[in-house]
Amino acid sequence: MFRTRVLLGAGLAIAAAVTLPIINALPAAAVAGRNLPANGKVLFLAGQTTPDLTALKQQVLDVDASFPRPGGVTLYTNISPNACNGLTATCNLNGNVFNFDQTLSEYPGAALAVGLYLADNPGCNNQPLRAIIGRQDADIAGALGQQYRQNLDNLITYLKNTNRAIYLRVGYEFDGPWNCYNTDFYKQAFRVVKQRIDALGATNVATVWQSATYPKDGDAQYKFDFSNPSHLTDWYPGDDVVDWIGMSTFYWDANFRQYQWACDTPTTASPKSLYDRSLTFARAHNKPAMISESTPQGYRTANLDASCTNVNNRVSLNGDWTKIGSWYDQYFSYVNANTDVLRAAAYINSNWEAITQFACPPGATAGSPNCTDGYWGNSRVQDNANIKANFKRELQNSVFVNGTLSGRGANWGGGTVPPTSNPPTSNPPTSPTPSPTGGNPGNRNAFATIEAESYDSQSGTQKVSTSTASGGVEVGYFGNNDWLQYNGVNFGGRNPNMVTFRYSSGRPTNQAFTLEFHAGSATGPVIAAPGLLGTGDWRTYKEISFNVSNLPAGTTTITAVAKVSDSADALDLDWFKFV
């Protein structure tokens, strides 16, 4: 895939808004570095433009106080004498809008990751790098070179005066062929940036050395050779000037060949192998690691479709949000599996199609005048209720700064929540027979376990007796539009955040369906619509927690309705409750 980033790279992240202490001591993990989050936790950041972050605040954080606030935010800037930098006034760079003062005021106490762009625009002359180094080449001798260096000092001083934990990504994605950096100039310039940070006393500013971790080699002559085992070593400016090791994670093995790279041939079979190499490098150098940029490139959360990243050839996902969910599942799984060294993660919560630089109409090819940077799609989590709810639950995990709950608890359609019992070998009968209704009118506690078989009325379902169910009975044979209704569910004066339930399914683990929860009848307002996957056996269970919305406090009727795309039975429901 061809990518060129004219002024900016990608990068965002989400976490919790607290003032982060600057910690230089060694935490529980065997890494050391400036601005390590306390107690071995992972800092989650959000970005990547000021409008992106304002929308996240207004559409998610301001309307849901239980949604963990970002522990940091991500923005971009440059030191080019003839370009705006966005530090104290709004700056529009090819549709990317930045206003550091505005974003910092909207996210009080949050850390700040800064992508410092040091490439030419356009060209591969490495003028910013050569100016930082202080070379006296004809094009930068005198006032122009001095202005570059003064702008660098002005940036560092601004970041110092924020009194925030700062992560300065110096020439981010240094090895991306689209940036066209010269290896030696880059390493020398990185060292000068660190020297100026120290000289100006900016002890709150940590340097981040971020690889593009890109699965396709560029010109090996210029060391854009990701498949080279010594690739990172060739670009490394030194332990004495690097505080953090960074990487980009736009592709995961379950996704990138099916959609994102279906129109191209990578030189690296597994993007994860590049991420692993970065973490191995960080461990070897005793440095903390950061996912500096991440987004499900090529997918649209609002439209549920996907495309190759180098050609806009969108195809529908047929309403199956879990096909995007698998990207998020691998992303959060990777973070959770590597917390010994991976101490920060940034996510790009952006509608790329609304940004001029990343526009790419249907049929356009990366590198063409109307699709310069390839196809990116829309990665805003708030544009899909299922993705937003699971994203929220991931951030509530106590491994993250401001996380307070145990474990991941999300279900992206890949079954991150393990079964609660060992599966017996028998299945229920395949031909349902009529069953009487349950009948438990009266006052039910919404926050206590409600057994599925205690329904007041039903359509199309049947009770199933089994020792693996709570109380020895569950309700099965759910087909499309079959439902269970529960009257008198009492929420008191409290609005619930989530519905939790236990289910099993004889469907394969890659086959999706939905269980909707309605307020009132089966045609009433939908308060939650978790997408589910088969568990592979009727006696293999999963417990799922899913965000609820639009549910008033007080007493109401709750109806659970199955939505299935075929005529076969979908699930057995054991119990549910609200939390």
Side-chain angles (χ1 to χ4, degrees), residues 273-286:
S273 67
L274 297 178
Y275 311 155
D276 289 345
R277 184 168 65 183
S278 290
L279 296 192
T280 298
F281 191 92
R283 291 182 179 103
H285 290 262
N286 196 36

Side-chain angles (χ1 to χ4, degrees), residues 249 251-256 260 270-272 275 291 323-338 342 394 408 412 414 416:
T249 60
Y251 320 109
W252 293 99
D253 294 350
N255 302 72
F256 92 116
Q260 296 167 310
S270 165
K272 180 176 175 293
Y275 311 155
I291 293 179
K323 290 183 177 179
I324 305 179
S326 61
W327 186 96
Y328 292 96
D329 190 29
Q330 285 198 275
Y331 176 70
F332 283 105
S333 293
Y334 195 76
V335 173
N336 278 263
N338 291 283
L342 192 53
E394 295 282 11
R408 294 178 59 191
W412 296 102
T416 62

Side-chain angles (χ1 to χ4, degrees), residues 254-392:
N255 302 72
F256 92 116
R257 290 302 284 146
Q258 183 177 7
Y259 295 110
Q260 296 167 310
W261 281 69
C263 304
D264 203 350
T265 303
T267 51
T268 302
S270 165
K272 180 176 175 293
S273 67
L274 297 178
Y275 311 155
D276 289 345
R277 184 168 65 183
S278 290
L279 296 192
T280 298
F281 191 92
R283 291 182 179 103
H285 290 262
N286 196 36
K287 301 292 183 181
M290 167 189 288
I291 293 179
S292 303
E293 303 183 24
S294 59
T295 201
Q297 185 185 4
Y299 290 85
R300 294 197 297 178
T301 55
N303 305 79
L304 294 182
D305 55 25
S307 171
C308 297
T309 55
N310 71 324
V311 180
N312 183 351
N313 64 343
R314 290 192 296 252
V315 295
S316 174
L317 301 178
N318 298 316
D320 186 359
W321 71 273
T322 66
K323 290 183 177 179
I324 305 179
S326 61
W327 186 96
Y328 292 96
D329 190 29
Q330 285 198 275
Y331 176 70
F332 283 105
S333 293
Y334 195 76
V335 173
N336 278 263
N338 291 283
T339 55
D340 66 305
V341 64
L342 192 53
R343 303 296 303 282
Y347 176 81
I348 307 169
N349 199 64
S350 179
N351 179 6
W352 302 93
E353 295 177 315
I355 301 174
T356 304
Q357 178 180 344
F358 300 101
C360 185
T365 301
S368 62
N370 58 348
C371 184
T372 57
D373 280 31
Y375 182 73
W376 288 82
N378 174 10
S379 59
R380 297 191 345 159
V381 299
Q382 67 262 39
D383 289 346
N384 183 280
N386 290 307
I387 291 174
K388 182 179 73 172
N390 280 286
F391 200 91
K392 171 184 175 179

